[in-house]
């Protein structure tokens, strides 16, 4: 069930000190205000300036003014969010943000190292993420949408407003008279997420009034299924990997069913190399594993930003 802003924060208990990712938009402004009220002196804000639009300086100025009003320390991080070949602008910006956030693991707030970062995605964002995953033919990992809590490079990340509707966040701000900035790029329908927000979300709200709850429940079921697949994959990788270097043995892989081979290889690639193969790449790799019955059979397949190749009796991945 969706919650109010106050209900969501009442159940939010991260390790302190806490940094709030502050864009200047409605959602992050509400998150900072409510967290600063709950933990006075234990909350700081970080604003990531991507430098991708003319309004970037306005966002930064608004964040500075808000933090001064709340008596909350603000750290502004300017990042290079230019995309690489084959990378979407959204992914480039996301990776740049994580690099900036990771630096906070070494930052002190009131004499204590920052331990947690709160990000302001809400229930509408969760459904948009699920619909975006469906539009791309995603598997369970994509259909799980966004987790409420995860860890990365020494920091705990949280999305405490994930069960709060976007409209309720804006109503909460209006009641308190708190100003925020509108991001003009949110109206640009060249981005798939914005088309989903502008066209699909209103239609779903009309046809299925409870869709924020029911779609989020489906994402939760998918997340549980993915956890189970990961547990099986971890066991299978341990079973098929050569103990000395953790590389999967081809004959041991061939003893597994094709779905378990796919699950194990996907897990091995992601856990060890942060590499996520496309469906076509994984299918080709599985075909090559199945055909690998002679000493001279060569495997050398593009997977993610690197290659999987046969090395004697095992598979290896490398990034040239």
């Amino acid at each position: 069930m969706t919650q109010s802003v106050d209900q969501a924060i009442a159940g939010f208990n991260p390790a302190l000190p806490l940094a709030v990712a502050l864009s200047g938009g409605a959602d992050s402004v509400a998150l900072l205000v409510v967290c600063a009220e709950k933990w006075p002196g234990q909350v700081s804000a970080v604003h990531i300036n991507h430098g991708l639009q003319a309004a970037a300086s306005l966002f930064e100025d608004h964040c500075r003014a808000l933090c001064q009003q709340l008596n909350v320390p603000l750290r502004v991080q300017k990042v290079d969010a230019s995309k690489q070949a084959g990378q979407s602008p959204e992914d480039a910006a996301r990776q740049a943000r994580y690099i900036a956030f990771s630096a906070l693991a070494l930052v002190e707030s009131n004499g204590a190292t920052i331990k947690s970062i709160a990000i302001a995605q809400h229930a509408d964002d969760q459904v948009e993420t699920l619909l975006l995953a469906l539009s791309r033919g995603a598997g369970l990992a994509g259909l799980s949408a966004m987790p409420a809590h995860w860890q990365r490079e020494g920091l705990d990340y949280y999305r405490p407003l994930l069960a709060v509707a976007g409209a309720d966040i804006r109503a909460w701000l209006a009641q308190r008279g708190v100003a925020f900035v509108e991001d003009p790029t949110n109206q640009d329908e060249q981005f798939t997420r914005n088309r989903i927000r502008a066209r699909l979300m209103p239609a779903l709200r009309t046809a299925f009034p409870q869709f924020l709850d029911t779609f989020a429940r489906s994402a939760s079921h998918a997340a549980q299924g993915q956890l189970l697949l990961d547990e099986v994959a971890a066991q299978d990788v341990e079973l098929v990997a050569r103990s000395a270097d953790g590389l999967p043995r081809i004959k041991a892989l061939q003893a597994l069913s094709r779905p378990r081979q796919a699950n194990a290889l996907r897990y091995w690639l992601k856990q060890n190399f942060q590499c996520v193969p496309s469906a076509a790449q994984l299918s080709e790799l599985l075909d090559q594993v199945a055909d690998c019955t002679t000493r001279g059979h060569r495997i050398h397949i593009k997977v993610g930003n690197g290659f999987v190749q046969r090395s004697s009796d095992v598979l290896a991945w490398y990034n040239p």
Side-chain angles (χ1 to χ4, degrees):
M1 295 292 290
T2 54
Q3 300 176 319
S4 68
V5 171
D6 294 321
Q7 286 173 330
I9 297 303
F12 177 42
N13 294 294
L16 300 174
L18 169 71
V20 174
L22 179 65
S23 69
D27 315 322
S28 66
V29 166
L31 181 59
L32 179 62
V33 170
V34 74
C35 286
E37 289 178 353
K38 183 173 182 178
W39 299 291
Q42 292 291 315
V43 174
S44 61
V46 56
H47 175 72
I48 309 297
N49 188 333
H50 299 91
L52 296 176
Q53 53 178 301
S57 60
L58 296 178
F59 286 117
E60 183 177 325
D61 290 344
H62 181 79
C63 291
R64 289 188 185 280
L66 176 66
C67 289
Q68 185 175 9
Q69 177 186 344
L70 296 174
N71 195 28
V72 167
L74 171 67
R75 182 167 290 99
V76 175
Q77 298 278 108
K78 288 183 169 61
V79 300
D80 178 9
S82 55
K83 67 186 184 72
Q84 304 298 315
Q87 188 180 37
S88 70
E90 298 95 326
D91 185 57
R94 185 183 309 110
Q95 294 304 319
R97 285 195 298 272
Y98 274 120
I99 292 172
F101 289 150
S102 295
L104 292 177
L106 304 175
V107 171
E108 290 190 352
S109 177
N110 294 328
T113 305
I114 289 173
K115 298 178 180 177
S116 309
I117 294 181
I119 301 176
Q121 278 104 351
H122 50 70
D124 300 64
D125 295 323
Q126 183 75 313
V127 171
E128 290 169 11
T129 301
L130 174 59
L131 293 171
L132 190 62
L134 283 168
S135 75
R136 295 172 174 170
L140 282 182
L143 300 181
S144 301
M146 298 183 292
H149 170 238
W150 72 105
Q151 294 178 320
R152 180 171 174 151
E153 297 182 9
L155 288 169
D156 280 289
Y157 287 83
Y158 296 90
R159 294 186 175 102
L161 302 182
L162 211 52
V164 183
D168 292 340
I169 292 174
R170 289 173 177 254
W172 186 88
L173 288 170
Q175 289 173 358
R176 289 169 166 253
V178 179
F180 57 88
V181 181
E182 293 283 4
D183 186 345
T185 64
N186 286 340
Q187 309 304 316
D188 187 350
E189 292 191 20
Q190 70 170 312
F191 300 111
T192 305
R193 181 180 285 275
N194 288 348
R195 291 198 301 276
I196 290 172
R197 182 178 301 137
R199 304 182 190 186
L200 291 185
M201 296 291 279
L204 286 169
R205 191 167 281 108
T206 299
F208 308 106
Q210 303 301 317
F211 81 107
L212 289 181
D213 292 330
T214 56
F215 280 37
R217 192 181 312 138
S218 290
S220 178
H221 292 327
Q224 290 181 12
Q226 184 60 51
L227 284 174
L228 180 58
L229 287 179
D230 286 346
E231 288 182 10
V232 173
Q235 294 170 3
D236 283 346
V237 168
E238 185 177 356
L239 177 68
V240 305
R242 197 166 60 186
S243 59
D245 48 25
L247 298 178
R249 292 170 295 141
I250 294 172
K251 283 189 177 180
L253 275 171
Q254 291 171 337
L256 301 176
S257 67
R258 187 178 175 100
R260 284 179 67 171
Q261 288 180 38
N263 191 44
L265 288 172
R266 191 184 295 111
Y267 182 86
W268 170 67
L269 288 165
K270 184 175 182 181
Q271 293 297 312
N272 290 281
F273 313 110
Q274 292 301 304
C275 171
V276 180
S278 69
Q281 290 171 343
L282 187 58
S283 179
E284 175 63 19
L285 179 56
L286 293 173
D287 289 344
Q288 291 298 318
V289 168
D291 292 341
C292 191
T293 57
T294 64
R295 287 179 178 270
H297 188 92
R298 181 173 180 266
I299 296 178
H300 187 264
I301 299 173
K302 173 73 172 174
V303 177
N305 61 344
F307 294 86
V308 170
Q309 67 177 17
R310 179 181 181 179
S311 177
S312 184
D313 65 336
V314 299
L315 295 178
W317 184 90
Y318 75 97
N319 186 358

